[in-house]
Amino acid sequence: MMGGKPNFPYVLGSDGAGTVVAVGQHVSQVRQGDQVYALALANPKGGFHAQYIAVKADQVSRIPRNLTTEQAGAMPVDAITALIGLDDTLGLKRGESIMIFGASGGIGHMAVQLAKRMGARVLAVASGEDGVALAAPAGRGCDGGWTQKRYRGRRTKVRP
């Protein structure tokens, strides 16, 4: 548990979303009734697999209008992981090409969307009809939804 000992019973769940039901007297960026999402990794008060959770105000953000509560709640860990991979690790730049395997998974799905937003040419690889169906809309404008068979036939065309 990130170097600390959990207090039992410990509630799991590092990211989530919901409606603010109460705030501390020094909190000003959110109010009761706001729709928010948060990251509470190693939260000493427990995680998001509960009806209510207490998190620090600096770990909370308002949900953008175009996201549902469910979408925002699944985003923090996956989106941060994808962004660190694309930006910090790879240094992805506008106009570059990237092939993202697992484009229908949580992190892969976010990586496709973030890479497109960063201006990259995205080659999204997903398996199964349901995976391809999920990955293709995320990477609009990309060569999305590649199956293994389609990849084998085109891999030489995407090399730099």
Side-chain angles (χ1 to χ4, degrees):
M1 183 151 133
M2 312 246 343
K5 283 189 162 188
N7 295 323
F8 290 99
Y10 186 76
V11 180
L12 300 174
S14 56
D15 49 2
T19 304
V20 175
V21 296
V23 296
Q25 66 185 116
H26 299 291
V27 175
S28 60
Q29 73 267 30
V30 294
R31 295 188 307 256
Q32 187 174 355
D34 285 350
Q35 295 292 307
V36 297
Y37 68 97
L39 175 64
L41 197 58
N43 185 356
K45 296 188 181 276
F48 282 95
H49 296 181
Q51 188 173 357
Y52 295 97
I53 182 173
V55 295
K56 294 180 181 180
D58 63 355
Q59 296 174 329
V60 175
S61 296
R62 284 195 185 96
I63 298 175
R65 296 179 208 267
N66 60 337
L67 290 181
T68 66
T69 302
E70 292 81 7
Q71 291 168 329
M75 194 175 68
V77 171
D78 288 354
I80 290 167
T81 302
L83 186 59
I84 288 171
L86 295 170
D87 196 28
D88 295 354
T89 304
L90 295 176
L92 186 65
K93 304 283 186 249
R94 178 174 293 284
E96 291 182 332
S97 296
I98 184 168
M99 181 175 281
I100 298 173
F101 288 85
S104 61
I107 295 168
H109 194 254
M110 291 303 303
V112 169
Q113 294 175 72
L114 291 167
K116 286 298 296 175
R117 189 170 185 96
M118 293 167 78
R121 178 173 178 240
V122 178
L123 307 167
V125 180
S127 62
E129 290 180 27
D130 57 339
V132 171
L134 178 65
R140 285 193 178 95
C142 74
D143 293 335
W146 283 27
T147 60
Q148 187 176 10
K149 182 178 177 182
R150 185 171 173 219
Y151 169 71
R152 283 188 187 134
R154 294 197 48 197
R155 65 182 166 205
T156 56
K157 295 180 183 180
V158 298
R159 289 186 191 151

mmCIF file of all heavy atoms in Angstrom, residues 88-122:
data_model
loop_
_atom_site.group_PDB
_atom_site.id
_atom_site.type_symbol
_atom_site.label_atom_id
_atom_site.label_comp_id
_atom_site.label_asym_id
_atom_site.label_seq_id
_atom_site.Cartn_x
_atom_site.Cartn_y
_atom_site.Cartn_z
ATOM 1 N N ASP A 88 5.686 11.784 -21.383
ATOM 2 C CA ASP A 88 6.950 11.705 -20.637
ATOM 3 C C ASP A 88 7.886 10.622 -21.171
ATOM 4 O O ASP A 88 9.077 10.861 -21.332
ATOM 5 C CB ASP A 88 6.680 11.430 -19.155
ATOM 6 C CG ASP A 88 5.945 12.563 -18.464
ATOM 7 O OD1 ASP A 88 5.739 13.622 -19.095
ATOM 8 O OD2 ASP A 88 5.555 12.388 -17.295
ATOM 9 N N THR A 89 7.354 9.436 -21.414
ATOM 10 C CA THR A 89 8.207 8.319 -21.821
ATOM 11 C C THR A 89 8.573 8.384 -23.299
ATOM 12 O O THR A 89 9.731 8.277 -23.665
ATOM 13 C CB THR A 89 7.525 6.971 -21.499
ATOM 14 O OG1 THR A 89 7.210 6.946 -20.106
ATOM 15 C CG2 THR A 89 8.430 5.804 -21.839
ATOM 16 N N LEU A 90 7.587 8.554 -24.170
ATOM 17 C CA LEU A 90 7.851 8.552 -25.611
ATOM 18 C C LEU A 90 8.162 9.930 -26.180
ATOM 19 O O LEU A 90 8.783 10.038 -27.234
ATOM 20 C CB LEU A 90 6.651 7.971 -26.364
ATOM 21 C CG LEU A 90 6.336 6.505 -26.100
ATOM 22 C CD1 LEU A 90 5.065 6.102 -26.844
ATOM 23 C CD2 LEU A 90 7.502 5.622 -26.507
ATOM 24 N N GLY A 91 7.689 10.969 -25.543
ATOM 25 C CA GLY A 91 7.881 12.317 -26.088
ATOM 26 C C GLY A 91 7.170 12.485 -27.416
ATOM 27 O O GLY A 91 7.698 13.116 -28.335
ATOM 28 N N LEU A 92 5.964 11.942 -27.531
ATOM 29 C CA LEU A 92 5.204 11.973 -28.780
ATOM 30 C C LEU A 92 4.985 13.412 -29.247
ATOM 31 O O LEU A 92 4.582 14.272 -28.466
ATOM 32 C CB LEU A 92 3.856 11.270 -28.582
ATOM 33 C CG LEU A 92 2.997 11.089 -29.820
ATOM 34 C CD1 LEU A 92 3.670 10.148 -30.830
ATOM 35 C CD2 LEU A 92 1.620 10.540 -29.438
ATOM 36 N N LYS A 93 5.243 13.644 -30.529
ATOM 37 C CA LYS A 93 5.110 14.979 -31.115
ATOM 38 C C LYS A 93 4.054 14.983 -32.219
ATOM 39 O O LYS A 93 3.771 13.957 -32.833
ATOM 40 C CB LYS A 93 6.444 15.433 -31.728
ATOM 41 C CG LYS A 93 7.613 15.413 -30.778
ATOM 42 C CD LYS A 93 7.582 16.592 -29.854
ATOM 43 C CE LYS A 93 8.826 16.654 -29.010
ATOM 44 N NZ LYS A 93 8.645 16.385 -27.627
ATOM 45 N N ARG A 94 3.506 16.170 -32.467
ATOM 46 C CA ARG A 94 2.536 16.374 -33.547
ATOM 47 C C ARG A 94 3.131 15.876 -34.863
ATOM 48 O O ARG A 94 4.295 16.120 -35.150
ATOM 49 C CB ARG A 94 2.196 17.849 -33.657
ATOM 50 C CG ARG A 94 1.231 18.188 -34.781
ATOM 51 C CD ARG A 94 0.806 19.633 -34.757
ATOM 52 N NE ARG A 94 -0.002 19.961 -33.597
ATOM 53 C CZ ARG A 94 -1.286 19.636 -33.458
ATOM 54 N NH1 ARG A 94 -1.897 18.963 -34.395
ATOM 55 N NH2 ARG A 94 -1.939 19.981 -32.379
ATOM 56 N N GLY A 95 2.331 15.122 -35.617
ATOM 57 C CA GLY A 95 2.766 14.617 -36.911
ATOM 58 C C GLY A 95 3.459 13.269 -36.874
ATOM 59 O O GLY A 95 3.673 12.659 -37.910
ATOM 60 N N GLU A 96 3.840 12.800 -35.694
ATOM 61 C CA GLU A 96 4.464 11.485 -35.591
ATOM 62 C C GLU A 96 3.408 10.397 -35.656
ATOM 63 O O GLU A 96 2.223 10.649 -35.441
ATOM 64 C CB GLU A 96 5.246 11.359 -34.276
ATOM 65 C CG GLU A 96 6.474 12.223 -34.226
ATOM 66 C CD GLU A 96 7.269 12.049 -32.942
ATOM 67 O OE1 GLU A 96 6.691 11.710 -31.887
ATOM 68 O OE2 GLU A 96 8.489 12.259 -33.011
ATOM 69 N N SER A 97 3.848 9.181 -35.946
ATOM 70 C CA SER A 97 2.952 8.027 -35.989
ATOM 71 C C SER A 97 3.200 7.152 -34.770
ATOM 72 O O SER A 97 4.333 7.019 -34.326
ATOM 73 C CB SER A 97 3.195 7.191 -37.249
ATOM 74 O OG SER A 97 2.878 7.927 -38.398
ATOM 75 N N ILE A 98 2.104 6.569 -34.273
ATOM 76 C CA ILE A 98 2.207 5.655 -33.148
ATOM 77 C C ILE A 98 1.214 4.519 -33.341
ATOM 78 O O ILE A 98 0.097 4.737 -33.804
ATOM 79 C CB ILE A 98 1.963 6.369 -31.801
ATOM 80 C CG1 ILE A 98 2.172 5.404 -30.629
ATOM 81 C CG2 ILE A 98 0.585 7.021 -31.755
ATOM 82 C CD1 ILE A 98 2.224 6.092 -29.285
ATOM 83 N N MET A 99 1.654 3.305 -33.030
ATOM 84 C CA MET A 99 0.775 2.146 -33.078
ATOM 85 C C MET A 99 0.454 1.772 -31.635
ATOM 86 O O MET A 99 1.365 1.535 -30.842
ATOM 87 C CB MET A 99 1.438 0.972 -33.803
ATOM 88 C CG MET A 99 0.535 -0.245 -33.902
ATOM 89 S SD MET A 99 1.280 -1.568 -34.882
ATOM 90 C CE MET A 99 0.967 -0.960 -36.540
ATOM 91 N N ILE A 100 -0.817 1.751 -31.297
ATOM 92 C CA ILE A 100 -1.244 1.456 -29.933
ATOM 93 C C ILE A 100 -1.950 0.113 -29.918
ATOM 94 O O ILE A 100 -3.027 -0.045 -30.494
ATOM 95 C CB ILE A 100 -2.160 2.568 -29.387
ATOM 96 C CG1 ILE A 100 -1.380 3.879 -29.334
ATOM 97 C CG2 ILE A 100 -2.721 2.182 -28.010
ATOM 98 C CD1 ILE A 100 -2.196 5.089 -28.966
ATOM 99 N N PHE A 101 -1.297 -0.855 -29.291
ATOM 100 C CA PHE A 101 -1.883 -2.181 -29.123
ATOM 101 C C PHE A 101 -2.783 -2.150 -27.898
ATOM 102 O O PHE A 101 -2.519 -1.446 -26.935
ATOM 103 C CB PHE A 101 -0.789 -3.240 -28.942
ATOM 104 C CG PHE A 101 -0.029 -3.522 -30.207
ATOM 105 C CD1 PHE A 101 1.037 -2.729 -30.574
ATOM 106 C CD2 PHE A 101 -0.398 -4.572 -31.023
ATOM 107 C CE1 PHE A 101 1.732 -2.971 -31.744
ATOM 108 C CE2 PHE A 101 0.290 -4.828 -32.201
ATOM 109 C CZ PHE A 101 1.363 -4.025 -32.553
ATOM 110 N N GLY A 102 -3.849 -2.929 -27.927
ATOM 111 C CA GLY A 102 -4.786 -2.931 -26.798
ATOM 112 C C GLY A 102 -5.638 -1.677 -26.793
ATOM 113 O O GLY A 102 -6.007 -1.164 -25.739
ATOM 114 N N ALA A 103 -5.981 -1.170 -27.968
ATOM 115 C CA ALA A 103 -6.703 0.087 -28.098
ATOM 116 C C ALA A 103 -8.130 0.036 -27.564
ATOM 117 O O ALA A 103 -8.772 1.073 -27.430
ATOM 118 C CB ALA A 103 -6.719 0.536 -29.559
ATOM 119 N N SER A 104 -8.616 -1.141 -27.230
ATOM 120 C CA SER A 104 -9.965 -1.240 -26.662
ATOM 121 C C SER A 104 -9.924 -1.410 -25.147
ATOM 122 O O SER A 104 -10.965 -1.454 -24.506
ATOM 123 C CB SER A 104 -10.737 -2.403 -27.291
ATOM 124 O OG SER A 104 -10.075 -3.628 -27.028
ATOM 125 N N GLY A 105 -8.734 -1.470 -24.558
ATOM 126 C CA GLY A 105 -8.607 -1.559 -23.107
ATOM 127 C C GLY A 105 -8.665 -0.177 -22.481
ATOM 128 O O GLY A 105 -8.661 0.844 -23.183
ATOM 129 N N GLY A 106 -8.698 -0.123 -21.169
ATOM 130 C CA GLY A 106 -8.809 1.154 -20.465
ATOM 131 C C GLY A 106 -7.695 2.120 -20.808
ATOM 132 O O GLY A 106 -7.929 3.249 -21.245
ATOM 133 N N ILE A 107 -6.452 1.704 -20.640
ATOM 134 C CA ILE A 107 -5.318 2.586 -20.908
ATOM 135 C C ILE A 107 -5.132 2.789 -22.407
ATOM 136 O O ILE A 107 -4.903 3.909 -22.871
ATOM 137 C CB ILE A 107 -4.039 2.037 -20.242
ATOM 138 C CG1 ILE A 107 -4.212 2.058 -18.721
ATOM 139 C CG2 ILE A 107 -2.801 2.826 -20.669
ATOM 140 C CD1 ILE A 107 -3.162 1.298 -17.955
ATOM 141 N N GLY A 108 -5.262 1.725 -23.194
ATOM 142 C CA GLY A 108 -5.115 1.846 -24.647
ATOM 143 C C GLY A 108 -6.147 2.769 -25.266
ATOM 144 O O GLY A 108 -5.834 3.575 -26.152
ATOM 145 N N HIS A 109 -7.378 2.672 -24.787
ATOM 146 C CA HIS A 109 -8.461 3.512 -25.300
ATOM 147 C C HIS A 109 -8.165 4.989 -25.019
ATOM 148 O O HIS A 109 -8.369 5.853 -25.865
ATOM 149 C CB HIS A 109 -9.772 3.069 -24.633
ATOM 150 C CG HIS A 109 -10.990 3.595 -25.285
ATOM 151 N ND1 HIS A 109 -11.734 4.596 -24.717
ATOM 152 C CD2 HIS A 109 -11.608 3.266 -26.431
ATOM 153 C CE1 HIS A 109 -12.770 4.864 -25.495
ATOM 154 N NE2 HIS A 109 -12.708 4.067 -26.543
ATOM 155 N N MET A 110 -7.662 5.271 -23.816
ATOM 156 C CA MET A 110 -7.296 6.644 -23.483
ATOM 157 C C MET A 110 -6.077 7.086 -24.301
ATOM 158 O O MET A 110 -6.009 8.231 -24.756
ATOM 159 C CB MET A 110 -6.994 6.771 -21.987
ATOM 160 C CG MET A 110 -8.196 6.628 -21.085
ATOM 161 S SD MET A 110 -9.535 7.796 -21.416
ATOM 162 C CE MET A 110 -8.724 9.358 -21.257
ATOM 163 N N ALA A 111 -5.114 6.184 -24.505
ATOM 164 C CA ALA A 111 -3.910 6.525 -25.271
ATOM 165 C C ALA A 111 -4.262 6.913 -26.703
ATOM 166 O O ALA A 111 -3.683 7.852 -27.259
ATOM 167 C CB ALA A 111 -2.922 5.362 -25.252
ATOM 168 N N VAL A 112 -5.210 6.209 -27.311
ATOM 169 C CA VAL A 112 -5.642 6.538 -28.674
ATOM 170 C C VAL A 112 -6.189 7.967 -28.713
ATOM 171 O O VAL A 112 -5.804 8.775 -29.556
ATOM 172 C CB VAL A 112 -6.707 5.535 -29.179
ATOM 173 C CG1 VAL A 112 -7.362 6.023 -30.467
ATOM 174 C CG2 VAL A 112 -6.087 4.160 -29.392
ATOM 175 N N GLN A 113 -7.077 8.287 -27.786
ATOM 176 C CA GLN A 113 -7.696 9.617 -27.773
ATOM 177 C C GLN A 113 -6.677 10.722 -27.482
ATOM 178 O O GLN A 113 -6.684 11.774 -28.139
ATOM 179 C CB GLN A 113 -8.815 9.653 -26.736
ATOM 180 C CG GLN A 113 -9.964 8.731 -27.109
ATOM 181 C CD GLN A 113 -10.996 8.678 -26.019
ATOM 182 O OE1 GLN A 113 -11.713 9.654 -25.824
ATOM 183 N NE2 GLN A 113 -11.077 7.558 -25.315
ATOM 184 N N LEU A 114 -5.801 10.487 -26.513
ATOM 185 C CA LEU A 114 -4.797 11.496 -26.172
ATOM 186 C C LEU A 114 -3.790 11.692 -27.296
ATOM 187 O O LEU A 114 -3.396 12.827 -27.594
ATOM 188 C CB LEU A 114 -4.089 11.111 -24.870
ATOM 189 C CG LEU A 114 -4.957 11.196 -23.615
ATOM 190 C CD1 LEU A 114 -4.266 10.505 -22.449
ATOM 191 C CD2 LEU A 114 -5.290 12.641 -23.281
ATOM 192 N N ALA A 115 -3.353 10.602 -27.929
ATOM 193 C CA ALA A 115 -2.398 10.717 -29.040
ATOM 194 C C ALA A 115 -3.011 11.492 -30.198
ATOM 195 O O ALA A 115 -2.333 12.328 -30.824
ATOM 196 C CB ALA A 115 -1.944 9.326 -29.491
ATOM 197 N N LYS A 116 -4.280 11.247 -30.492
ATOM 198 C CA LYS A 116 -4.960 12.018 -31.546
ATOM 199 C C LYS A 116 -5.006 13.493 -31.171
ATOM 200 O O LYS A 116 -4.749 14.364 -31.996
ATOM 201 C CB LYS A 116 -6.382 11.496 -31.771
ATOM 202 C CG LYS A 116 -6.473 10.180 -32.509
ATOM 203 C CD LYS A 116 -5.916 10.257 -33.916
ATOM 204 C CE LYS A 116 -6.711 11.208 -34.772
ATOM 205 N NZ LYS A 116 -6.120 11.398 -36.096
ATOM 206 N N ARG A 117 -5.318 13.765 -29.922
ATOM 207 C CA ARG A 117 -5.389 15.160 -29.452
ATOM 208 C C ARG A 117 -4.009 15.836 -29.517
ATOM 209 O O ARG A 117 -3.906 17.037 -29.715
ATOM 210 C CB ARG A 117 -5.935 15.204 -28.045
ATOM 211 C CG ARG A 117 -6.235 16.589 -27.556
ATOM 212 C CD ARG A 117 -6.993 16.544 -26.252
ATOM 213 N NE ARG A 117 -7.377 17.861 -25.859
ATOM 214 C CZ ARG A 117 -8.559 18.417 -26.097
ATOM 215 N NH1 ARG A 117 -9.489 17.733 -26.718
ATOM 216 N NH2 ARG A 117 -8.818 19.630 -25.700
ATOM 217 N N MET A 118 -2.949 15.045 -29.370
ATOM 218 C CA MET A 118 -1.584 15.568 -29.449
ATOM 219 C C MET A 118 -1.148 15.762 -30.901
ATOM 220 O O MET A 118 -0.041 16.229 -31.156
ATOM 221 C CB MET A 118 -0.627 14.614 -28.733
ATOM 222 C CG MET A 118 -0.861 14.547 -27.228
ATOM 223 S SD MET A 118 -0.001 13.176 -26.420
ATOM 224 C CE MET A 118 1.663 13.832 -26.339
ATOM 225 N N GLY A 119 -1.993 15.372 -31.865
ATOM 226 C CA GLY A 119 -1.688 15.577 -33.275
ATOM 227 C C GLY A 119 -0.934 14.448 -33.934
ATOM 228 O O GLY A 119 -0.367 14.621 -35.011
ATOM 229 N N ALA A 120 -0.933 13.275 -33.327
ATOM 230 C CA ALA A 120 -0.219 12.130 -33.905
ATOM 231 C C ALA A 120 -1.129 11.350 -34.843
ATOM 232 O O ALA A 120 -2.347 11.405 -34.746
ATOM 233 C CB ALA A 120 0.270 11.206 -32.795
ATOM 234 N N ARG A 121 -0.506 10.607 -35.739
ATOM 235 C CA ARG A 121 -1.218 9.646 -36.579
ATOM 236 C C ARG A 121 -1.283 8.354 -35.777
ATOM 237 O O ARG A 121 -0.253 7.789 -35.413
ATOM 238 C CB ARG A 121 -0.482 9.406 -37.894
ATOM 239 C CG ARG A 121 -1.178 8.375 -38.757
ATOM 240 C CD ARG A 121 -0.515 8.277 -40.127
ATOM 241 N NE ARG A 121 -1.181 7.255 -40.890
ATOM 242 C CZ ARG A 121 -0.580 6.180 -41.365
ATOM 243 N NH1 ARG A 121 0.709 5.993 -41.182
ATOM 244 N NH2 ARG A 121 -1.255 5.291 -42.055
ATOM 245 N N VAL A 122 -2.491 7.905 -35.475
ATOM 246 C CA VAL A 122 -2.670 6.774 -34.578
ATOM 247 C C VAL A 122 -3.102 5.537 -35.346
ATOM 248 O O VAL A 122 -4.047 5.581 -36.119
ATOM 249 C CB VAL A 122 -3.717 7.093 -33.489
ATOM 250 C CG1 VAL A 122 -3.933 5.897 -32.582
ATOM 251 C CG2 VAL A 122 -3.292 8.306 -32.684
#
